[in-house]
Amino acid sequence: MQEEIVRKHLSEIESKFIVQQNGINRFWLESIRKDSFTNNHSIIYVGSFIPRKNVDKLIIAVANIRKKESYKDLKLVIVGGGKDRDLFDRP
């Protein structure tokens, strides 16, 4: 039903929008310097520190992965907050 409505009005609205795949300008995709990447491994978590997000399990998983020789440089960056923040604060 909704598809029919869009098709009916497509000619009126077609000139008013641009489809931009990935939301990233092609210039940036084509200008990536592959030689600038390093072998460093990083995981970034951004979100709330609430039980259903399992941040504690993420910390344990990263600790286990770091035991492997090829991932000793693995870094975990955690950004966020919430009522359980004090569980993850470190001096």
Side-chain angles (χ1 to χ4, degrees), residues 21-52:
Q21 296 178 0
N22 295 328
I24 300 172
N25 187 304
R26 182 161 294 290
F27 168 81
W28 299 110
L29 295 173
E30 292 171 351
S31 300
I32 294 174
R33 288 187 49 204
K34 293 181 174 61
D35 63 332
S36 66
F37 292 108
T38 64
N39 290 333
N40 294 336
H41 301 99
S42 298
I43 296 175
I44 301 173
Y45 170 84
V46 179
S48 300
F49 297 167
I50 54 177
R52 73 169 191 251

Side-chain angles (χ1 to χ4, degrees), residues 23-91:
I24 300 172
N25 187 304
R26 182 161 294 290
F27 168 81
W28 299 110
L29 295 173
E30 292 171 351
S31 300
I32 294 174
R33 288 187 49 204
K34 293 181 174 61
D35 63 332
S36 66
F37 292 108
T38 64
N39 290 333
N40 294 336
H41 301 99
S42 298
I43 296 175
I44 301 173
Y45 170 84
V46 179
S48 300
F49 297 167
I50 54 177
R52 73 169 191 251
K53 299 294 185 173
N54 295 308
V55 177
D56 55 338
K57 291 178 181 156
L58 175 62
I59 293 169
I60 293 167
V62 169
N64 288 330
I65 293 170
R66 289 187 73 197
K67 292 176 184 175
K68 296 183 179 189
E69 187 63 36
S70 58
Y71 289 97
K72 287 208 178 283
D73 66 335
L74 178 63
K75 288 191 261 180
L76 174 61
V77 178
I78 299 176
V79 180
K83 67 178 184 143
D84 294 329
R85 178 187 172 123
D86 59 327
L87 296 174
F88 304 105
D89 280 341
R90 289 180 136 180

